[in-house]
């Protein structure tokens, strides 16, 4: 994938697709031409995504609203990726590509009435492809064409209508309140990043959950490189955490060639630096609050994307610090404390601290680039990557590699 020519012709962004249990059940990938004249072959693109995107990344299984008057809606089980192709030419090329049933292609409602688009939608559906209708058509669609779509996507600026023949999804959620509103209106999933606003400073110190306190204590002890005996003593107070550590480290995403059987073995193989990386991942994914599931999902991917952006540097310390920066960048939401307070108890390098506090420093531009990717903003992704002098192909490679790696960790 590293030098695939298509990566230089696109700008990519992504967001989470969240169900009623607040679990992330799919990923929405926005694709835009890197320049107005960029030629993108849809069949080649779908083949690339099919090779990169893991078959085992998880299935999107929607409980469809029944069609009015009886009958059932088209099943979408097996989806892992929703494709939002920006631009008529790119969308047409994607629609005309061979069907990949576990990918869903979004089609703007205003384009469906065009004969060429309608014919491609029908052909893709007949071939087993999955499609979502974005927005409401000006006129009711013919029954045969309407039956091609499995889901109705409502834009964030549109009202939330109730009822309808298709399962509904809400785009552009930005807070837990947005999620609540979407599901109250009958949506089965919602797409976006419900981070909400950063926590405000408070005179009352918020208590950290006991299971998180153990991880924070371990991070501090690992940062001081305390002997393994002392680290093991902390773990003995939380056997579940020890089990999760061993299971996590032995997952395919870590890429170890030997199986880790104990904490002492883990430290011997990984060393303090890599063990702190694992603890950062664990801290960012340990919340039991259902509303934090999308936040944990994003935090892990932020770390992996930022690490991938400098993969070719040959600087292991730089990669590790950027990883920590990305994983910790949502820790204020996860722990309900502003970074100014939080960083008093969580040891991080100075460059990471600067970025988390929004201060100018070498890591802040990387964090801003990842945030632009999450907002699926083509203009901002271009601007932030140019500031870092990173080519579009490398940004896209980092994103796809990180998303695929994260799927193996879960």
């Amino acid at each position: 994938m590293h030098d695939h020519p298509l990566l230089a012709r696109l700008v990519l962004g992504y967001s989470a697709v969240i169900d009623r249990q607040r679990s992330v059940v799919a990923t929405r990938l926005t694709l835009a031409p890197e320049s107005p004249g960029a030629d993108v072959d849809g069949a080649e693109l779908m083949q690339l995504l099919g090779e990169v995107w893991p078959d085992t990344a998880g299935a999107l299984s929607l409980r469809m609203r029944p069609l009015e008057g009886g009958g059932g809606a088209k099943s979408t089980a097996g989806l892992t990726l929703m494709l939002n192709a920006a631009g008529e030419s790119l969308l047409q090329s994607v629609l005309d590509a061979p069907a990949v049933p576990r990918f869903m292609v979004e089609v703007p409602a205003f384009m469906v009435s065009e004969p060429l688009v309608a014919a491609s939608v029908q052909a893709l559906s007949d071939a087993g492809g999955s499609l979502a209708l974005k927005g409401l058509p000006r006129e009711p669609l013919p029954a045969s064409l309407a039956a091609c779509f499995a889901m109705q996507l409502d834009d964030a600026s549109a009202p939330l209508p109730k009822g309808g023949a298709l399962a509904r999804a809400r785009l552009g959620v930005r807070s837990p309140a947005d999620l609540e509103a979407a599901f109250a209106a009958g949506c089965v999933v919602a797409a976006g990043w419900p981070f909400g606003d950063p926590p405000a400073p408070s005179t009352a110190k918020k208590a950290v959950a006991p299971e998180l306190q153990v991880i924070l204590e371990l991070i501090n002890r690992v940062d001081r490189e305390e002997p393994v005996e002392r680290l093991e003593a902390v773990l003995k107070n939380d056997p579940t955490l020890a089990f999760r550590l061993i299971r996590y480290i032995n997952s395919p995403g870590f890429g170890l060639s030997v199986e880790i059987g104990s904490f002492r073995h883990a430290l011997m193989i990984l060393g303090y630096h890599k063990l702190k990386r694992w603890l950062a991942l664990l801290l960012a994914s340990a919340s039991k609050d259902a509303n934090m599931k999308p936040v944990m999902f994003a935090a892990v991917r932020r770390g992996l994307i930022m690490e991938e952006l400098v993969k070719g540097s040959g600087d292991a310390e730089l990669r590790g610090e950027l990883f920590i920066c990305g994983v910790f960048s949502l820790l204020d939401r996860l722990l309900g404390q502003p970074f100014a307070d939080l960083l008093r108890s969580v040891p991080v390098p100075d460059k990471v601290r600067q970025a988390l506090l929004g201060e100018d420093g070498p890591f802040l531009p990387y964090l801003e680039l990842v945030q632009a990717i999450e907002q699926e903003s083509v203009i901002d992704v271009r601007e932030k990557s140019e500031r870092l002098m990173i080519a579009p192909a490398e940004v896209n490679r980092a994103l796809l590699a990180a998303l695929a790696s994260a799927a193996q960790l879960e």
Side-chain angles (χ1 to χ4, degrees), residues 69-126:
K74 185 175 180 180
S75 171
T76 61
L79 289 177
T80 59
L81 198 61
M82 291 173 60
L83 299 178
N84 173 35
E88 294 185 20
S89 177
L90 178 57
L91 175 60
Q92 187 65 58
S93 186
V94 169
L95 288 172
D96 291 337
V100 181
R102 61 195 176 92
F103 296 169
M104 174 179 277
V105 180
E106 301 178 12
V107 183
F110 73 89
M111 294 179 61
V112 180
S113 59
E114 298 178 12
L116 184 59
V117 174
S120 298
V121 164
Q122 188 71 63
L124 184 59
S125 178
D126 291 344

Side-chain angles (χ1 to χ4, degrees), residues 355-389:
L356 297 182
L357 293 173
E359 300 172 354
D360 195 18
F363 288 178
L364 185 59
Y366 290 95
L367 181 56
E368 291 176 338
L369 172 57
V370 174
Q371 291 169 333
I373 292 170
E374 290 172 348
Q375 299 305 315
E376 301 168 281
S377 171
V378 172
I379 294 175
D380 289 339
V381 171
R382 285 198 186 106
E383 177 190 327
K384 304 302 181 185
S385 57
E386 286 174 2
R387 180 184 174 186
L388 286 165
M389 294 185 288

Side-chain angles (χ1 to χ4, degrees), residues 39-313:
D39 179 37
V40 178
D41 181 270
E44 193 178 4
L45 174 61
M46 297 297 268
Q47 181 180 0
L48 171 63
L49 293 176
E51 292 172 354
V52 172
W53 205 254
D55 290 326
T56 57
L60 173 60
S61 180
L62 302 178
R63 184 180 297 279
M64 296 302 180
R65 298 173 61 86
L67 291 166
E68 294 180 4
K74 185 175 180 180
S75 171
T76 61
L79 289 177
T80 59
L81 198 61
M82 291 173 60
L83 299 178
N84 173 35
E88 294 185 20
S89 177
L90 178 57
L91 175 60
Q92 187 65 58
S93 186
V94 169
L95 288 172
D96 291 337
V100 181
R102 61 195 176 92
F103 296 169
M104 174 179 277
V105 180
E106 301 178 12
V107 183
F110 73 89
M111 294 179 61
V112 180
S113 59
E114 298 178 12
L116 184 59
V117 174
S120 298
V121 164
Q122 188 71 63
L124 184 59
S125 178
D126 291 344
S130 297
L131 296 116
L133 185 65
K134 186 162 56 178
L136 295 172
R138 299 186 184 96
E139 302 290 338
L141 300 177
S144 60
L145 189 58
C148 296
F149 294 98
M151 191 158 55
Q152 171 81 48
L153 306 178
D154 299 311
D155 187 72
S157 61
L160 279 165
K162 292 189 178 183
L166 295 175
R168 306 196 76 89
R170 182 67 159 172
L171 301 177
V173 297
R174 293 288 177 263
S175 68
D178 289 345
L179 277 184
E180 291 288 351
F183 295 134
C187 294
V188 293
V189 291
W193 297 110
F195 300 152
D197 296 326
S202 173
T203 54
K205 184 166 180 166
K206 183 174 180 180
V208 177
E211 64 273 13
L212 301 183
Q213 289 178 346
V214 175
I215 301 172
L216 285 172
E217 183 179 354
L218 273 173
I219 289 175
N220 277 282
R221 289 176 180 267
V222 168
D223 190 63
R224 296 193 296 266
E225 297 191 3
E226 291 190 2
V228 65
E229 292 79 11
R230 294 185 183 178
L231 302 179
E232 285 182 322
V234 176
L235 269 180
K236 285 178 181 177
N237 294 324
D238 193 338
T240 303
L241 179 61
F243 172 77
R244 290 182 63 193
L245 183 152
I246 301 303
R247 185 182 64 180
Y248 215 162
I249 291 177
N250 284 321
S251 67
F254 257 81
L256 297 180
S257 58
V258 296
E259 183 172 346
I260 302 297
S262 66
F263 180 76
R264 184 180 293 269
H265 189 200
L267 183 57
M268 182 179 70
I269 297 295
L270 298 177
Y272 287 98
H273 180 73
K274 289 186 178 179
L275 184 60
K276 187 176 179 181
R277 165 196 174 95
W278 176 84
L279 290 169
L281 272 178
L282 192 60
L283 182 62
S285 60
S287 175
K288 294 181 180 180
D289 182 353
N291 282 320
M292 290 296 105
K293 290 180 183 178
V295 183
M296 293 186 284
F297 178 92
V300 172
R301 281 148 186 80
R302 280 189 180 187
L304 291 169
I305 295 169
M306 291 175 68
E307 180 185 40
E308 284 285 345
L309 286 170
V310 294
K311 189 173 183 178
S313 68

Side-chain angles (χ1 to χ4, degrees), residues 223 276 317 321 324 346-354 363:
D223 190 63
K276 187 176 179 181
E317 183 176 351
E321 290 187 352
I324 294 290
V346 181
V348 295
D350 287 340
K351 288 178 283 188
V352 174
R353 181 184 299 273
Q354 286 178 316
F363 288 178

